[in-house]
Amino acid sequence: MSHYLKITAAMLGGALFLSGCASTGMSPSHPNDQVNNTYQLPQQIYDGYWAMTAGMGGQAAVVNFRRDGTSYNYRFKCYTDGSYQQAAVEKYNLKPNRTAVGLQYENEPVFSQVKVIKLAPKQTLVLNQSFSDPELQQAYPNGQEFTYTYKPTLEPVCLL
């Protein structure tokens, strides 16, 4: 994947997850699981779709997390009349580690890590996404935060 595509995919896909989760009461891992001490996404994240509340490069993004260890990131073109059209979809493999969930596109290396900062089930999701690429790490040393709103069906938030 090209560098530009990685940045775009990372930003739109960041469309994705938190370590301490003090504000949500969630645990970053299963505390009784000493063998497999990996970060786990909260179960409520798998319900429905999460529409990004801010546009990205003239497009709106929607994320759907799946229990099979994948996420689908949909991009939409929004029009002034309120209509929208799906422009693209990317599939990512979710790769949990000790502190976050890695995002992997096809068979390429994990390019970013996501953590849940806040989750109000079927309402709001805030994710922090950090990047593996040294240039992106330098540009975003604390990662980027993305806010989403819950949608029961695949529908973007089109703000023009």
Side-chain angles (χ1 to χ4, degrees):
M1 185 167 24
S2 74
H3 183 68
Y4 173 75
L5 204 52
K6 277 187 184 178
I7 293 171
T8 302
M11 292 176 78
L12 291 174
L16 314 153
F17 310 62
L18 167 98
S19 55
C21 301
S23 64
T24 62
M26 297 178 290
S27 172
S29 62
H30 295 289
N32 297 326
D33 187 356
Q34 299 300 319
V35 176
N36 188 13
N37 190 18
T38 59
Y39 180 90
Q40 300 294 314
L41 295 175
Q43 292 301 305
Q44 298 90 340
I45 203 168
Y46 299 107
D47 297 335
Y49 296 85
W50 298 97
M52 188 179 284
T53 59
M56 302 287 295
Q59 294 187 341
V62 178
V63 177
N64 176 246
F65 298 97
R66 305 216 176 152
R67 287 182 172 83
D68 68 358
T70 61
S71 72
Y72 285 80
N73 301 318
Y74 302 90
R75 289 184 284 156
F76 293 87
K77 175 73 176 158
C78 297
Y79 301 102
T80 56
D81 67 359
S83 64
Y84 55 86
Q85 179 180 356
Q86 186 172 322
V89 62
E90 294 100 16
K91 177 183 174 184
Y92 296 96
N93 296 311
L94 303 175
K95 301 290 187 178
N97 61 47
R98 289 179 41 86
T99 60
V101 172
L103 296 177
Q104 178 187 38
Y105 181 75
E106 295 181 347
N107 292 322
E108 295 191 16
V110 169
F111 69 90
S112 72
Q113 308 289 320
V114 291
K115 299 176 186 179
V116 173
I117 300 299
K118 181 179 178 182
L119 173 64
K122 295 189 178 184
Q123 292 179 29
T124 305
L125 171 65
V126 179
L127 300 171
N128 179 275
Q129 183 174 18
S130 58
F131 305 98
S132 302
D133 182 275
E135 290 178 42
L136 291 174
Q137 284 178 359
Q138 187 174 3
Y140 305 102
N142 298 314
Q144 289 186 289
E145 281 192 15
F146 298 98
T147 302
Y148 301 85
T149 189
Y150 173 80
K151 298 284 186 174
T153 59
L154 181 57
E155 174 187 356
V157 172
C158 287
L159 300 173
L160 298 175

